[in-house]
């Protein structure tokens, strides 16, 4: 791979641990809809995949999914997005990667209006060339579409790029676009999920991600 290959990082479950904010905001929406409210631990499967699809499962159909997303954003937009924490060593890993002539991007299914604020809040903005996310209307919420758009906007060569993420849709989105996918097991996806989706490598820590990138890019 060329030394200037692009690296795309997922946000939730890869750069930051968003569990309290996401699950708490899902609980808020379900409570507002007078539906059963699972515990936060029971909702961790919702971290990563497109939110509307998760609500459709939780609500047993599509009927109230859009309203649930609206209610979720009532809480998430002011409170939930900052109920979040950066994984240990992430800042050091990003700083080390920035010492080489590489382009680095965030690629998340989360709306970019939220993702950009989260990245800035945690002081990570300077590590990235751009934050790619979905639109509030659901455009590019699918990781396949998001990464295709990111490749188009950046002109990056997919054959020389990496996608780093913790869930199967990160891996599938990358593979469908000809990008090699690295799965991280410190997030919310299992090793089995990531390997079944086609991850070329598993990393158990941010430091392991750094080591793999150094081996891959030189």
């Amino acid at each position: 791979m060329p030394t200037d290959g692009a690296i795309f990082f997922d946000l939730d479950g890869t750069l930051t641990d968003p569990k309290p904010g996401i699950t708490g905001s899902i609980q808020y929406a379900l409570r507002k809809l007078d539906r059963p409210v699972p515990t936060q631990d029971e909702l961790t499967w919702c971290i990563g995949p497109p939110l509307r699809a998760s609500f459709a499962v939780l609500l047993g159909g599509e009927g109230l999914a859009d309203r649930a997303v609206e209610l979720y954003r009532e809480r998430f937009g002011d409170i939930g997005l900052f109920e979040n924490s950066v994984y240990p060593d992430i800042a050091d890993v990003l700083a080390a990667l920035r010492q080489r002539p590489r382009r680095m991007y965030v690629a998340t299914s989360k709306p970019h209006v939220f993702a950009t604020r989260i990245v800035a809040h945690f002081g990570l903005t300077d590590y990235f060339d751009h934050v790619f996310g979905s639109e509030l209307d659901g455009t590019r919420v699918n990781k396949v579409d998001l990464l295709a758009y990111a490749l188009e906007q950046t002109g990056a060569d997919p054959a020389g790029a990496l996608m780093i993420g913790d869930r199967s849709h990160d891996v599938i989105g990358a593979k469908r676009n000809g990008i090699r996918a690295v799965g991280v097991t410190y997030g919310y996806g299992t090793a089995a999920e990531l390997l079944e989706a086609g991850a070329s490598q598993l990393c158990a820590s941010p430091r392991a991600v750094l080591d793999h990138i150094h081996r891959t890019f030189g």
Side-chain angles (χ1 to χ4, degrees), residues 21-42:
I22 289 178
T23 58
S25 297
I26 292 173
Q27 289 176 321
Y28 172 87
L30 294 174
R31 199 171 289 117
K32 286 282 190 176
L33 291 171
D34 198 26
R35 294 301 181 95
V37 180
T39 66
Q40 291 195 354
D41 286 342
E42 291 170 335

Side-chain angles (χ1 to χ4, degrees), residues 50-53 65-66 69-70 73 109-114 133-142 145:
L51 181 64
R52 188 185 184 281
D66 288 333
V69 171
E70 291 176 1
R73 288 174 178 164
S109 295
K110 186 184 296 300
H112 64 82
V113 294
F114 295 143
S134 64
E135 302 296 332
L136 290 171
D137 66 1
T139 301
R140 292 188 294 276
V141 73
N142 184 294
D145 299 334

Side-chain angles (χ1 to χ4, degrees), residues 5-11 14-15 103-108 128 130 132 143 146-152 154-158 160-165 170 174 179-180 182 213 217:
I7 304 173
F8 297 94
F9 285 89
D10 178 43
L11 179 58
T14 301
L15 296 175
R103 291 182 290 164
M104 303 200 319
Y105 306 96
V106 175
T108 174
F128 297 103
H130 191 73
F132 289 101
K143 221 44 171 285
L146 179 73
L147 286 171
Y149 176 78
L151 289 172
E152 177 186 346
T154 62
D157 177 7
L162 286 179
M163 174 69 207
I164 316 294
D170 298 312
I179 301 171
R180 187 180 302 186
V182 174
I213 291 173
F217 285 86

